[in-house]
Amino acid sequence: MGQDNKKIALSIYSFSILMMGVIAIAGGMGVIAQNFPGKDINALIALPSIPIIIVTIVAGKLQEYIPIKVLVVIGILCFIVGGILPVFMTDFSTILIMRVIFGVGVGLSQTLSSALVGMHFEGAERQKVMGLQTSAQMIGAAVMMFASGYLARFGGWSGAFYVHLLAIVSLIVVLLCLPMDKPLRNQKGGNAPAEKVKLTGAAAGWAVTLTIFFFAGMVLAQFLSLYIGTHIITDDPGAAAAVSGWGTMIFAIGGFLMGLLYGKLNSAAKNATLGIGLFVGVAAYLIVGFSATVPVMIIGSFLYGACVSIVMASVMTATAMSVSPIAIPLAIALTTCGQNIGSYICPYISTAVAGLFGEDITRNVFIFGAILFAVMGVITLIWGVAQNARKPAEA
């Protein structure tokens, strides 16, 4: 990897830590709720999903006309402004407005980080950087969730929002290391006509794949605390909430470690990597869904972090490979949009389907997720094995 690409990779990692920033204040939600009685506190995490979906739709197109570095800086600034200003506010409605601005920043970070990997790296190098980008995303989530709980505990409800100051580090690294490339439509130079940006059926297929995955992909984040309070720690809501926070952080650590290993896994399994990741998700959800002790639940959470890391890196890499270089940003944006749509409707779909299995919703949502992952795993594993067999034959 050349010196320039090393700087680009460092820039990507630096703002990839913001990609799961929506749940950064999760550790302090209990303290925040105490200070806003009667308010829909869950909106602080749910509301940013709306601008994220919108931004991921338009970001791919914006990259054709605006330098990506400019868009990245705008995204980080929105993250900082929308994330920090609630510290100085007392009106809940105004705080929600800030969360909308914050969502714009998260949406740009999600789309642009993966797009930059696809544009600047190829082959095994792309696999490695995509895996490390996922690791950065996961470790950023773990650090922010852990820190927000302590900041809220010792600094009051507003202290949880100080965790967003982490983005200042991202801003400095991006300003120093990310080159100011021309907008995609101007990169040919001279009077040569700009290449037309075209999406492929494969790109659309990968977007649908990630959307379906996230129909159940947010079950752990949405239902883990409820499951623990119902099946593991039934007599102490405070302890159940604390253990849930640790479980979510272990999920992020599992994703971080798998991100470090993703390049090696993909080199060995190639196109079968996605199917392997989905079956890791099957095991993870079944372990969590039938756990009766905290250590067993922790194992399941760790494995699910590994699953998400494998699936995200595999799908984003495949998306970038499915289109021409100039269309990579738009294809990544479409796939990221699918991810966020799936995440947003996950609790509604999973709860509805889980109700068909019986009354124990908190367990049945994990069973539903395991079934969905298993079906996807069978399909993608058969496809991956076939692709692996075909390429040596073609060579």
Side-chain angles (χ1 to χ4, degrees):
M1 186 185 296
Q3 192 63 32
D4 289 342
N5 272 7
K6 286 182 179 179
K7 288 184 176 181
I8 293 171
L10 179 60
S11 300
I12 293 169
Y13 306 148
S14 73
F15 71 94
S16 292
I17 63 177
L18 312 179
M19 289 172 63
M20 293 182 69
V22 168
I23 59 175
I25 59 172
M29 287 292 279
V31 179
I32 296 172
Q34 292 174 4
N35 286 269
F36 293 98
K39 301 296 184 180
D40 182 12
I41 299 300
N42 290 329
L44 292 173
I45 290 180
L47 184 61
S49 296
I50 298 175
I52 288 173
I53 292 171
I54 296 172
V55 166
T56 52
I57 293 173
V58 302
K61 203 67 180 173
L62 289 176
Q63 292 169 72
E64 297 179 33
Y65 305 95
I66 301 173
I68 290 184
K69 181 172 183 174
V70 173
L71 292 174
V72 172
V73 170
I74 290 172
I76 296 174
L77 290 175
C78 286
F79 188 100
I80 295 172
V81 171
I84 296 300
L85 285 186
V87 170
F88 310 102
M89 298 175 175
T90 56
D91 179 66
F92 190 72
S93 297
T94 309
I95 292 174
L96 289 180
I97 293 174
M98 291 299 103
R99 295 297 287 176
V100 172
I101 296 173
F102 175 78
V104 172
V106 174
L108 285 171
S109 296
Q110 288 182 352
T111 305
L112 300 175
S113 58
S114 297
L116 281 168
V117 176
M119 292 168 60
H120 290 279
F121 302 92
E122 295 181 353
E125 195 172 72
R126 177 185 286 171
Q127 306 283 359
K128 180 180 178 180
V129 175
M130 192 68 80
L132 291 174
Q133 179 229 35
T134 305
S135 286
Q137 172 183 348
M138 291 294 188
I139 201 63
V143 169
M144 286 188 285
M145 285 188 293
F146 184 77
S148 67
Y150 279 91
L151 288 169
R153 180 179 178 184
F154 296 109
W157 71 267
S158 61
F161 290 91
Y162 278 115
V163 75
H164 300 118
L165 286 172
L166 180 64
I168 293 177
V169 176
S170 306
L171 181 62
I172 293 171
V173 174
V174 166
L175 289 174
L176 293 177
C177 297
L178 189 63
M180 182 69 80
D181 291 337
K182 294 179 181 180
L184 291 176
R185 282 188 174 272
N186 297 335
Q187 285 187 6
K188 280 195 171 185
N191 296 318
E195 179 184 346
K196 189 174 181 180
V197 177
K198 292 182 180 180
L199 291 178
T200 62
W206 288 118
V208 171
T209 299
L210 205 58
T211 304
I212 296 173
F213 173 79
F214 274 98
F215 282 169
M218 291 296 287
V219 161
L220 189 107
Q222 295 278 354
F223 292 94
L224 183 61
S225 181
L226 293 172
Y227 180 85
I228 292 171
T230 304
H231 294 281
I232 300 177
I233 303 176
T234 59
D235 58 349
D236 189 346
V243 170
S244 172
W246 278 102
T248 307
M249 190 174 75
I250 293 297
F251 151 79
I253 292 173
F256 166 71
L257 294 176
M258 178 50 68
L260 298 178
L261 300 172
Y262 175 78
K264 292 182 178 179
L265 173 64
N266 186 265
S267 295
K270 298 181 173 59
N271 291 292
T273 305
L274 177 58
I276 292 171
L278 287 162
F279 278 108
V280 172
V282 173
Y285 268 12
L286 290 178
I287 289 171
V288 173
F290 289 95
S291 61
T293 64
V294 172
V296 175
M297 179 275 295
I298 290 293
I299 293 172
S301 296
F302 181 88
L303 288 175
Y304 187 59
C307 160
V308 172
S309 223
I310 295 170
V311 171
M312 289 292 294
S314 297
V315 172
M316 290 302 182
T317 301
T319 300
M321 294 173 63
S322 69
V323 294
S324 63
I326 196 173
I328 287 175
L330 185 59
I332 293 290
L334 179 65
T335 304
T336 306
C337 180
Q339 170 193 343
N340 285 289
I341 291 174
S343 299
Y344 186 72
I345 63 179
C346 167
Y348 306 106
I349 288 182
S350 57
T351 301
V353 177
L356 301 177
F357 297 165
E359 295 181 358
D360 191 352
I361 299 297
T362 58
R363 169 167 287 157
N364 292 342
V365 288
F366 288 99
I367 296 174
F368 158 66
I371 293 172
L372 180 62
F373 294 164
V375 172
M376 294 181 69
V378 169
I379 295 171
T380 55
L381 199 57
I382 292 174
W383 171 83
V385 170
Q387 288 291 106
N388 288 346
R390 181 183 305 168
K391 288 189 176 181
E394 291 176 350

